[in-house]
Amino acid sequence: MLKTIAYENQQLYILNQNRLPEEQVWERCDSVEAVAAAIRTLRLRGAPLIGVSAAYGMALAVRDYTGAAEGLAGHYAAAERLMAATRPTAVNLFYALARMRTVFETAAGEPPEVIFAALLTEARRLQQEDAECNFRLSEHGQALLPDHANVLTICNAGALATCGCGTALGVIRSAHQRGKIEMVYACETRPLLQGARLTVWELMQDGIPVTLITDSMAATVMNRQRIDAVIIGADRIAANGDTANKIGSYGLAILAHSFGIPFYVAAPASTIDENTATGQDIPIEERDPDELRRLGERVLAPPEARVFNPAFDVTPHELISAIITEDGVFWDFGRKVRS
Ligand code: MRU
């Protein structure tokens, strides 16, 4: 399986996702500041991977601390604030920070190298747990797909967004292993093209049939091709099932509803935020207007153009047919009815 992050020889390395699909570049990313910057700039991205990366970042914060013992707690809290400020929507980030804090507090008073070892073990555990969740939810999810399935997805909820086989793409991988996938339609995912750059590349690496479409072609594809399911990942699922995912997901859900196509969300259970009652309470990241005004060096719009650039939208639970987690398939999420 594709790897995205690795702590080896006492250093943290990441696959720089901004360089894909042109080249696979592994970079040293070996301080809490470097990890925070990599998350902010989407070199590391995808909700589960953001969480695991943040966990490693917190371990590095302690490893690199050279001050007096009584200053460590303050240093840790500052590193936590830095990490928490990187991207607000994916709850996996906050879930991982909470797990790391518990370990930090349990180890309080120990020498820094002992605290670091405990934090590193927890980061590795989070990474391993993610791989296991991916696999289990994928096995549950593939059972929902018919033979010869045509599936539509958006963004990248694959191995590149996680530490395993992925969530939405994990379901597709499991179905493909059983010979059930005819075609995956990948929305390009403006403005940062995670669908075109990452999903298409990732599926092609595995020999899974994939067709790239622009986001605006989804209605035509649903109308003209037989689409059996839309499957997306999630950055945060509110307690009532409303789901934040990459901008464009909500539009796909409305289209799927209109065409009578099942709309599935696949995510580890840790993406469910019981502290967030509904989608209205999910903080939505707004990104740099230049992501719409430019494409690299190329100018796409007047430099002063007013821009609205939310990175995510919220699909109301009424439009979601089922939520797939490692614990099973929830058909009526609000009432926790699952199979
Ligand atoms: O901005 P990104 O690339 O981090 O957005 C990623 C997504 O929206 C994914 O669909 C989501 O994080 C789920 S990844 C398993």
Side-chain angles (χ1 to χ4, degrees):
M1 193 53 59
L2 263 171
K3 266 196 170 346
T4 47
I5 190 163
Y7 190 80
E8 278 166 15
N9 303 322
Q10 280 95 53
Q11 296 193 323
L12 188 67
Y13 294 92
I14 64 163
L15 178 64
N16 181 344
Q17 301 201 20
N18 289 338
R19 305 284 286 270
L20 289 169
E22 283 158 294
E23 40 187 7
Q24 287 185 61
V25 178
W26 278 86
E27 290 176 355
R28 200 156 65 86
C29 184
D30 200 42
S31 67
V32 63
E33 292 82 10
V35 174
I39 293 173
R40 220 178 298 114
T41 55
L42 273 64
R43 278 173 283 151
L44 288 166
R45 34 85 32 215
L49 179 59
I50 289 171
V52 170
S53 308
Y56 277 111
M58 295 312 299
L60 300 184
V62 170
R63 183 199 65 185
D64 296 341
Y65 181 68
T66 52
E70 54 276 20
L72 182 59
H75 170 78
Y76 190 88
E80 226 173 18
R81 284 194 297 276
L82 172 75
M83 207 54 89
T86 52
R87 299 193 74 190
T89 303
V91 75
N92 314 60
L93 169 65
F94 305 96
Y95 171 79
L97 290 178
R99 288 266 301 258
M100 297 303 278
R101 172 152 281 282
T102 301
V103 170
F104 180 74
E105 286 177 357
T106 306
E110 302 284 351
E113 58 276 14
V114 174
I115 302 177
F116 164 62
L119 290 171
L120 183 62
T121 300
E122 186 69 351
R124 287 193 159 127
R125 191 175 295 131
L126 280 160
Q127 185 173 9
Q128 183 58 30
E129 281 175 14
D130 189 48
E132 286 162 13
C133 286
N134 283 192
F135 178 74
R136 283 168 49 202
L137 73 85
S138 300
E139 290 292 295
H140 289 306
Q142 66 76 25
L144 303 178
L145 298 181
D147 287 341
H148 311 293
N150 286 315
V151 178
L152 190 141
T153 190
I154 188 168
C155 196
N156 173 269
L160 289 169
T162 63
C163 301
C165 59
T167 56
L169 297 195
V171 171
I172 288 168
R173 276 197 169 87
S174 288
H176 180 254
Q177 279 160 11
R178 290 166 169 82
K180 289 166 76 172
I181 295 292
E182 191 159 302
M183 184 57 66
V184 179
Y185 290 89
C187 293
E188 65 174 349
T189 318
R190 279 282 291 153
L192 297 180
L193 303 173
Q194 291 94 329
R197 292 188 301 106
L198 306 177
T199 290
V200 171
W201 180 80
E202 181 179 327
L203 293 180
M204 286 176 70
Q205 296 288 305
D206 274 9
I208 299 175
V210 56
T211 299
L212 172 64
I213 60 171
T214 67
D215 302 335
S216 52
M217 292 171 190
T220 292
V221 170
M222 288 190 200
N223 193 31
R224 301 237 316 242
Q225 319 291 329
R226 175 182 50 79
I227 296 293
D228 297 291
V230 177
I231 310 180
I232 64 164
D235 287 83
R236 190 184 300 226
I237 301 172
N240 71 343
D242 294 351
T243 294
N245 190 55
K246 179 54 57 192
I247 191 76
S249 301
Y250 180 23
L252 292 179
I254 294 171
L255 288 177
H257 184 72
S258 152
F259 284 103
I261 296 169
F263 186 90
Y264 299 125
V265 172
S270 55
T271 307
I272 299 164
D273 180 7
E274 296 291 350
N275 297 319
T276 297
T278 73
Q280 286 190 338
D281 308 310
I282 299 177
I284 299 296
E285 175 184 7
E286 285 194 34
R287 294 187 60 85
D288 187 344
D290 275 347
E291 290 180 353
L292 270 72
R293 296 187 194 122
R294 312 183 64 93
L295 196 59
E297 295 302 299
R298 183 85 206 274
V299 174
L300 298 182
E304 320 73 34
R306 188 176 300 170
V307 162
F308 177 48
N309 185 20
F312 303 97
D313 58 25
V314 176
T315 301
H317 64 273
E318 297 87 353
L319 295 178
I320 298 171
S321 311
I323 294 179
I324 305 159
T325 78
E326 67 275 21
D327 298 327
V329 176
F330 292 83
W331 290 98
D332 187 344
F333 183 78
R335 292 193 298 125
K336 302 282 181 280
V337 175
R338 70 172 182 187
S339 61

